[in-house]
Amino acid sequence: MTPKLPKSWDTALAILLLVVAWACLYLPHLRTNPGWYGDETLTLMIGKSLYEGQGADRAMQATFWHPSYAYQPGYAWAVGLASVGTGGDILGGRALNTLIALSIALCLYLFGIKIFGKSPALLSALIFLSYEQSVVHFRWIYSHNAVALGFVIAVLFLIRKASVRSDLAIGFGLTIAALSHPLFIHGSIAAWLCRIKRPLSWLRMAFFPTLAIIALTLWTWTRLTNKNWLAEDFSSLGQFYAQFSKDNGSGLQSLKNVFFFYSQDFFHLGAFVCALICCWRRFRVIPLFLAVVSGLLLQNRQNLTVFYYQAVVFLPILALAYAGALKLLLVYLRAIAGRSSRVAALVAFIIPAILFGSSFPKSFNSSITPRNQFWVTQNPAEVETAAVWINSHVSQTDLVVCHQNIGWLLNCRTTDFMQATAWSGRPTFTFEVLPAKERFLFPADISSAKYVVIGDIDQRWTFGQPNLGWILEKLENEKWPVKWQGDNYLIVKNPVILD
């Protein structure tokens, strides 16, 4: 039987164009470019633990609400599942995130056709795929990427007329976000404001995400040894972000954050202008959603332009603003000039062409450099060489104190310097409230470790955190010998533990 051809060849060709653009920008050198980053390697380790039925954050039981890892387990479990196909390697988790990027682009196009028309919908999808920050962050393992998918589904159906079907679809999008990151709350507030005049919609939109949060909370609560830990972590997380907001969002700083974010490059400035244009018609959902979500994020984050990953949650909505503005422009031009609107549509595609032309060489040549490159693994090959050496000198029960950027490669117990500091009774970053020793699955005690690994991120960030200096003093005073050294990594051995 001969398969049926697509009803619309232009739609099929547009989808093919999106897939080809995605493959060119997101697949070359995926495993190591950009370099590994701490949040993604930590998510990978926790995801593999979840898939194996443990749900551990290395030495500690994870509640998924502690400040050290306050992301939800749904996305992390999916990362663990994806890594199975690559033998636990980071490539599986990264491949999953590139598929999330493709899914967002297809949603922008296929769901956007009915709302904006084919040209504006295709424009937004190509702009999203081609923008450099999309290429960078959807190669990384970030729960924010799944939130972005959920939010774009929600917005695409918020633009439509309220109905049972559209409200449930909005709820489905918010559920994807709720299974991934607490930032789903920002999107939920925005969705509620968009449907504020329709109380029946509130219930329909809230149904699935509420079930998801209840289910995740009950699952976490039942598997904890001490049920009070969940409440303790909720409290610690609230204190952590309250202090964070005080330090980063006081006075006029919030307005400065918004200004610097939307003026960082022509893409953001253009999206801001397009969002303003969308205020005049039924596309006002786009600027309202952006105002709420980006406003809540930017009010206490000065460094979002450098650590862009949190802004990823509304990055597809910025691309969607271009579709709304182009649609309104085409409607206006058709009213006054007829066919000249086609020229405007073609001119608009210069934007994704420029973005693609900028991003593709970096992808093809393995030269993608994120804005936070200083805190990214500088040489993945060196890390793998160091990991091979450690694995040849440890058993599964040995303990190695190291950052997760190498920890995910090791075949033994691992903990990091932050957990080891908390175990020692010293508060530090994200462990301002010390956890009980019972929270630890095994002692995160440096004195029990066979090796301590000091990497590039530790030299550049970790040892700058509160109360970490004691570790270097201990290694120096006890004369831990150097067993392996590279340009960025150093491995020292506990002198009291025999090989």
Side-chain angles (χ1 to χ4, degrees):
M1 181 177 178
T2 303
K4 293 183 179 180
L5 295 175
K7 293 181 180 180
S8 175
W9 275 101
D10 52 352
T11 299
L13 290 174
I15 293 174
L16 178 61
L17 175 62
L18 292 174
V19 172
V20 171
W22 165 79
C24 290
L25 294 174
Y26 291 81
L27 298 186
H29 310 287
L30 174 60
R31 185 176 182 272
T32 56
N33 191 229
W36 305 327
Y37 187 58
D39 282 14
E40 71 161 341
T41 50
L42 178 58
T43 300
L44 174 64
M45 293 186 73
I46 292 176
K48 290 196 290 186
S49 177
L50 277 168
Y51 182 76
E52 294 167 358
Q54 299 169 0
D57 176 2
R58 295 157 299 169
M60 289 183 61
Q61 293 191 49
T63 66
F64 305 99
W65 290 102
H66 190 274
S68 63
Y69 190 83
Y71 306 157
Q72 298 307 291
Y75 169 84
W77 181 87
V79 169
L81 174 62
S83 72
V84 172
T86 54
D89 191 79
I90 198 171
L91 179 61
R94 285 194 164 191
L96 171 67
N97 283 267
T98 66
L99 290 174
I100 292 175
L102 179 60
S103 298
I104 290 173
L106 292 175
C107 285
L108 287 169
Y109 178 63
L110 295 174
F111 293 146
I113 289 175
K114 187 175 181 180
I115 302 169
F116 308 105
K118 290 182 179 179
S119 292
L122 181 60
L123 177 73
S124 66
L126 286 173
I127 286 176
F128 165 74
L129 278 180
S130 303
Y131 180 52
E132 185 175 10
Q133 294 308 312
S134 296
V135 178
V136 169
H137 289 86
F138 284 88
R139 282 170 166 259
W140 270 334
I141 297 172
Y142 270 116
S143 58
H144 304 75
N145 298 341
V147 177
L149 173 61
F151 280 4
V152 79
I153 292 173
V155 171
L156 285 165
F157 282 91
L158 280 166
I159 296 173
R160 301 186 182 193
K161 291 182 179 180
S163 66
V164 174
R165 182 178 179 181
S166 62
D167 290 343
L168 290 178
I170 295 164
F172 174 73
L174 295 176
T175 300
I176 295 175
L179 292 170
S180 308
H181 197 289
L183 284 177
F184 87 93
I185 297 171
H186 294 3
S188 299
I189 294 172
W192 172 71
L193 288 173
C194 291
R195 288 283 196 267
I196 195 167
K197 295 181 179 180
R198 299 181 177 276
L200 283 178
S201 293
W202 306 349
L203 298 175
R204 293 192 289 253
M205 292 189 303
F207 180 73
F208 289 122
T210 300
L211 283 182
I213 290 299
I214 291 174
L216 288 179
T217 303
L218 287 176
W219 173 80
T220 300
W221 185 79
T222 55
R223 54 179 286 277
L224 293 176
T225 304
N226 187 322
K227 313 305 180 185
N228 293 327
W229 292 341
L230 191 58
E232 291 174 2
D233 285 357
F234 274 126
S235 176
S236 297
L237 188 64
Q239 295 175 36
F240 177 82
Y241 279 111
Q243 185 62 44
F244 187 85
S245 296
K246 182 180 178 181
D247 295 339
N248 294 277
S250 58
L252 295 176
Q253 188 60 51
S254 296
L255 294 177
K256 292 180 181 178
N257 295 346
V258 173
F259 173 79
F260 287 121
F261 181 82
Y262 280 103
S263 63
Q264 64 182 284
D265 57 29
F266 86 89
F267 165 78
H268 286 84
L269 187 59
F272 183 81
V273 173
C274 289
L276 291 178
I277 294 173
C278 291
C279 290
W280 274 267
R281 290 290 293 268
R282 68 187 180 99
F283 304 145
R284 64 177 63 93
V285 164
I286 296 172
L288 177 57
F289 198 94
L290 277 176
V292 173
V293 176
S294 67
L296 289 172
L297 274 172
L298 292 167
Q299 56 90 22
N300 64 357
R301 288 169 174 83
Q302 300 179 34
N303 60 354
L304 211 59
T305 54
V306 178
F307 296 94
Y308 191 91
Y309 60 89
Q310 296 176 84
V312 164
V313 301
F314 60 89
L315 177 55
I317 317 303
L318 294 172
L320 201 60
Y322 282 91
L326 178 59
K327 173 63 177 178
L328 294 175
L329 176 63
L330 295 180
V331 170
Y332 174 75
L333 290 176
R334 288 191 190 106
I336 65 171
R339 294 183 178 180
S340 65
S341 62
R342 297 180 180 177
V343 177
L346 290 174
V347 171
F349 279 88
I350 294 176
I351 299 172
I354 293 173
L355 293 173
F356 184 89
S358 173
S359 297
F360 176 65
K362 299 173 184 178
S363 172
F364 185 76
N365 296 323
S366 188
S367 58
I368 296 173
T369 304
R371 294 174 181 176
N372 59 343
Q373 175 65 24
F374 184 78
W375 297 274
V376 172
T377 297
Q378 302 300 300
N379 187 347
E382 177 192 10
V383 178
E384 291 191 273
T385 301
V388 169
W389 187 92
I390 293 173
N391 285 333
S392 67
H393 290 80
V394 295
S395 65
Q396 291 185 345
T397 57
D398 285 328
L399 175 65
V400 173
V401 180
C402 61
H403 194 270
Q404 58 266 21
N405 281 348
I406 188 173
W408 73 271
L409 288 161
L410 302 184
N411 301 323
C412 62
R413 290 177 169 180
T414 66
T415 190
D416 67 2
F417 296 111
M418 317 297 280
Q419 289 185 349
T421 298
W423 173 269
S424 74
R426 300 172 174 90
T428 189
F429 180 69
T430 70
F431 289 97
E432 287 81 5
V433 178
L434 290 174
K437 291 290 182 70
E438 291 75 19
R439 283 285 297 270
F440 290 83
L441 298 168
F442 52 85
D445 186 359
I446 286 185
S447 297
S448 302
K450 187 172 185 179
Y451 296 102
V452 167
V453 183
I454 300 174
D456 41 33
I457 185 61
D458 302 311
Q459 301 169 58
R460 300 180 180 204
W461 181 81
T462 307
F463 288 118
Q465 304 311 304
N467 296 325
L468 266 292
W470 71 277
I471 295 175
L472 295 178
E473 293 177 4
K474 177 181 178 65
L475 300 180
E476 182 178 358
N477 293 337
E478 296 179 4
K479 295 181 172 52
W480 287 45
V482 175
K483 291 296 184 178
W484 190 96
Q485 186 170 3
D487 292 336
N488 302 285
Y489 270 71
L490 177 73
I491 302 172
V492 296
K493 183 180 180 296
N494 192 334
V496 302
I497 296 181
L498 300 177
D499 287 323

